[in-house]
Amino acid sequence: MASVAQKEKRRNPPPPFTTSKLQQAAYNRLRYTAKRTMSLAQKLYEGVELGDEGSVALITYMRTDSVHVSNDALIQVRELIPNAWVELSPGKAQLLQIEKGRAGSPRSVRPTDAMRAPEDVRKYLDEDLFKLYQLIWQRFVASQRLPAIFDPNDD
């Protein structure tokens, strides 16, 4: 009698955006051209008026080919995940590979404050800015979630 081995497959969460991955995702999900994406990202980086807070930069510098995340940002997003999605929170930070020979200073495209959820700033942003910020925020938060586990034999 033949037996079939059950194996589970894991899929790690995607890393935060690099410039090119941001442009690809914005095109695929939002239908923004690369030029439009970078123009909107520039506005999010330079600062958006958030009522009494004044002008606030919502994302880090968007011209990068690194997926590196600062320790402060990792600590912050790890505080957010257990509060919002306990079942998806890993026991430790998802450390992302940095290419050999690269300085650690370049950073991924991410929110400047992970605690500033897209819905918190929606009323201050036009629809296109909101959608791009939401895309960046979701990808950054998702990068620290547990890997997806599934049965590759399920069809």
Side-chain angles (χ1 to χ4, degrees), residues 76-95:
Q76 188 181 60
V77 76
R78 301 228 1 102
E79 289 173 5
L80 171 70
I81 292 175
N83 294 334
W85 306 284
V86 174
E87 70 282 0
L88 298 176
S89 178
K92 60 183 179 168
Q94 301 286 342
L95 298 177

Side-chain angles (χ1 to χ4, degrees), residues 66 68 98-107:
S66 174
H68 183 74
I98 300 173
E99 301 85 17
K100 288 189 183 227
R102 283 186 92 41
S105 60
R107 306 281 191 235

Side-chain angles (χ1 to χ4, degrees), residues 71-80 110 112-115:
N71 287 335
D72 291 341
L74 280 176
I75 291 167
Q76 188 181 60
V77 76
R78 301 228 1 102
E79 289 173 5
L80 171 70
R110 64 168 180 82
T112 55
D113 182 352
M115 299 298 186

Side-chain angles (χ1 to χ4, degrees), residues 6-131:
Q6 291 279 335
K7 272 192 162 181
E8 65 181 31
K9 189 165 182 153
R10 292 178 176 260
R11 180 175 302 146
N12 289 325
F17 285 123
T18 60
T19 302
S20 62
K21 295 294 184 185
L22 173 61
Q23 290 171 341
Q24 289 171 20
Y27 179 76
N28 291 332
R29 293 194 46 205
L30 306 172
R31 292 295 178 224
Y32 296 168
T33 63
K35 183 177 179 179
R36 177 86 176 128
T37 298
M38 296 313 288
S39 174
L40 292 168
Q42 185 71 33
K43 289 177 185 174
L44 292 171
Y45 170 71
E46 289 176 353
V48 177
E49 287 295 322
L50 300 182
D52 294 339
E53 289 186 70
S55 182
V56 176
L58 294 178
I59 66 168
T60 58
Y61 191 62
M62 64 281 161
R63 296 193 186 281
T64 180
D65 60 357
S66 174
V67 294
H68 183 74
V69 177
S70 70
N71 287 335
D72 291 341
L74 280 176
I75 291 167
Q76 188 181 60
V77 76
R78 301 228 1 102
E79 289 173 5
L80 171 70
I81 292 175
N83 294 334
W85 306 284
V86 174
E87 70 282 0
L88 298 176
S89 178
K92 60 183 179 168
Q94 301 286 342
L95 298 177
L96 304 165
Q97 295 290 350
I98 300 173
E99 301 85 17
K100 288 189 183 227
R102 283 186 92 41
S105 60
R107 306 281 191 235
S108 62
V109 180
R110 64 168 180 82
T112 55
D113 182 352
M115 299 298 186
R116 197 181 303 273
E119 287 303 321
D120 296 342
V121 296
R122 183 178 204 142
K123 66 183 176 184
Y124 302 108
L125 305 178
D126 68 34
E127 193 64 21
D128 287 348
L129 277 174
F130 169 75
K131 287 178 179 177

